[in-house]
Amino acid sequence: MTLLSERAIAPLDALRRQTFASLSNRNYRRYLTGQSISLVGTWMQTIAQSWLVLQLTGSGTALGLVVALQTLPTLVLGPYGGVIADRMDKRRLMIGLQSVMGVLALALGLLTITGAVQLWQVYVLAFVLGLNNCFENPARQSFVLEMVGSDDLRNAVSLNSVLVNVARAVGPAVAGLVIATGGIGLCFLINAASFVAVVTSLLRLDVSALSPSNPTPRAPGQLREGLTYVRRTPRLAIPLLMMALVGCLAYEFQVVLPVVASQTFAGDARTYGFLTAAMGAGAVVGGLYMAARGRTGMWSLVVGAAAFGLALLATALSPTLGVALVGMGLVGAASVAFQSAGNSTLQLAAAPHMRGRVMALWAVAFLGSTPIGGPIAGLVSQHFGGRAGLALGAVACIVAAGLGAVVARRESAARSAEVIG
């Protein structure tokens, strides 16, 4: 190899190492392997559940309601889930809760395959799954730092977003094929089996290599303590407020995209899968960029929210399905940039003994707002069309970006005044 070739390859090799830095951690590699299998199953279930509800009811409002029921526990009990995460061994908590999620998927699969499934059963199982998630999510979010440390946290969060969105691209496409050949129920059974992989990966972690935060002793007022801590810390409160607004109205893709697929573009489950897969493919690109070059802080959130809103608006105005697929790719890239910047910013800014509670509030803002936003997006999409549902999310993103910009500008002005003084 010539000296010129070595000089050309060296920057690429450095970029590769920078992009995948957290994968040098053996525990994180094991964890990510289990997650990769489970997340494909999760996205298969997401597609199948949405299509099942549409088959049973033909109603966008019913679809919004089932999504709302799945996220309602996070809205109500999410902050308490963070208290539990701060008190317990996060790995053991995740093992138990992931096992329960597999059992719930198995139950829905058996009900669907036997033809016994009814809408109320879907509602109940969605609610119980949401109850499980409100405790599992803050444990999982804050566990990443215990595996990789603060230096590789942003990289690990970004790579996890890449994984989620690779699964978003693969899972819906596989789900469309499975639904067409084996039926909706088979998707639920495959998802149930996928939880074996994630539980096994957690059991096989090298516990001695972890850096767990010290469990917070049980004491009265810990929930109120966490809320007060966030309220008095603007670098935590403002990102959470931005995510609450965006999460409420812009991340309702389970509600809006089925309507876009079936009504706006006169498609079927495969069309819905293609739209979701396009968003996942774009998110992979955005996630890899964030892993290599991404930043944390308020201005990163502002740029991410603004780009997310503009991409949603462009997709809402798409004249054809082909253009909409390109638009959904841009939506995916911008959404993962916003989400990764917010997640990393909060974890790095939070005190270790508060991290579970802070990330529980992140889950409330991201997922727990869906019981409010899901029905709203469903009603808007049902009465005004899927394009209106996308446009609603675009407005929310742009408003959040404006709020963040005002706060960031004030902080910059205050720092400048301190320097001058």
Side-chain angles (χ1 to χ4, degrees), residues 25-334:
N25 184 300
R26 186 177 181 183
N27 272 341
Y28 189 65
R29 289 200 306 272
R30 286 179 175 175
Y31 171 81
L32 214 63
T33 299
Q35 287 288 316
S36 65
I37 297 171
S38 180
L39 284 169
V40 170
T42 297
W43 277 108
M44 291 179 66
Q45 172 149 333
T46 298
I47 298 296
Q49 180 175 281
S50 295
W51 213 251
L52 175 63
V53 172
L54 280 180
Q55 280 191 353
L56 291 173
T57 67
S59 169
T61 303
L63 185 59
L65 181 57
V66 75
V67 174
L69 285 170
Q70 189 165 314
T71 51
L72 180 62
T74 298
L75 176 63
V76 178
L77 296 175
Y80 185 69
V83 173
I84 299 300
D86 282 335
R87 288 178 180 174
M88 296 184 64
D89 182 298
K90 296 176 180 61
R91 184 182 70 95
R92 292 180 180 178
L93 181 60
M94 290 168 61
I95 289 171
L97 295 176
Q98 291 276 352
S99 299
V100 173
M101 292 164 73
V103 172
L104 294 174
L106 177 63
L108 184 55
L110 293 175
L111 284 171
T112 305
I113 282 183
T114 58
V117 67
Q118 299 179 37
L119 184 61
W120 71 267
Q121 295 167 337
V122 180
Y123 285 161
V124 170
L125 288 171
F127 179 78
V128 176
L129 177 61
L131 188 63
N132 185 91
N133 285 341
C134 79
F135 293 94
E136 192 272 341
N137 197 289
R140 174 166 41 83
Q141 296 279 356
S142 52
F143 182 64
V144 174
L145 184 60
E146 297 184 0
M147 280 190 292
V148 303
S150 58
D151 289 344
D152 287 330
L153 176 63
R154 179 186 54 78
N155 181 266
V157 169
S158 298
L159 288 181
N160 191 68
S161 296
V162 170
L163 176 61
V164 169
N165 289 286
V166 168
R168 189 199 299 267
V170 174
V174 175
L177 294 175
V178 170
I179 291 171
T181 58
I184 292 175
L186 185 57
C187 289
F188 301 134
L189 296 181
I190 292 174
N191 183 43
S194 74
F195 282 102
V196 175
V198 71
V199 171
T200 300
S201 72
L202 290 168
L203 289 170
R204 294 183 64 239
L205 293 182
D206 180 2
V207 179
S208 66
L210 299 176
S211 300
S213 55
N214 294 324
T216 301
R218 183 186 297 270
Q222 289 178 323
L223 176 58
R224 183 173 62 255
E225 180 187 15
L227 295 173
T228 301
Y229 171 68
V230 168
R231 180 172 56 82
R232 292 178 177 176
T233 312
R235 58 181 176 170
L236 298 175
I238 300 304
L240 285 170
L241 182 59
M242 292 174 67
M243 175 49 81
L245 183 57
V246 174
C248 183
L249 298 174
Y251 277 102
E252 307 302 340
F253 297 114
Q254 295 179 63
V255 178
V256 176
L257 289 187
V259 179
V260 172
S262 61
Q263 297 181 12
T264 305
F265 296 113
D268 54 15
R270 287 174 295 182
T271 308
Y272 175 31
F274 289 147
L275 287 167
T276 308
M279 181 169 65
V284 169
V285 176
L288 288 173
Y289 175 81
M290 288 295 293
R293 303 293 188 186
R295 300 179 182 274
T296 59
M298 184 62 68
W299 282 114
S300 295
L301 285 170
V302 170
V303 172
F308 191 8
L310 293 174
L312 280 169
L313 184 60
T315 306
L317 298 174
S318 298
T320 65
L321 177 60
V323 176
L325 291 173
V326 174
M328 288 307 299
L330 297 175
V331 167

Side-chain angles (χ1 to χ4, degrees), residues 247-249 252 369-378 392:
C248 183
L249 298 174
E252 307 302 340
S369 57
T370 298
I372 301 170
I376 293 173
L392 179 66

Side-chain angles (χ1 to χ4, degrees), residues 332-419:
S335 68
V336 79
F338 174 71
Q339 185 180 346
S340 296
N343 188 305
S344 301
T345 297
L346 289 175
Q347 291 212 53
L348 292 173
H353 69 286
M354 287 287 187
R355 191 170 293 119
R357 278 165 280 187
V358 170
M359 296 316 295
L361 292 174
W362 171 259
V364 171
F366 184 32
L367 300 173
S369 57
T370 298
I372 301 170
I376 293 173
L379 284 170
V380 169
S381 299
Q382 181 171 335
H383 293 289
F384 302 102
R387 296 182 190 277
L390 292 171
L392 179 66
V395 172
C397 290
I398 292 170
V399 171
L403 171 65
V406 170
V407 173
R409 191 175 295 112
R410 287 179 179 174
E411 290 181 350
S412 298
R415 285 194 295 267
S416 298
E418 290 177 1
V419 171

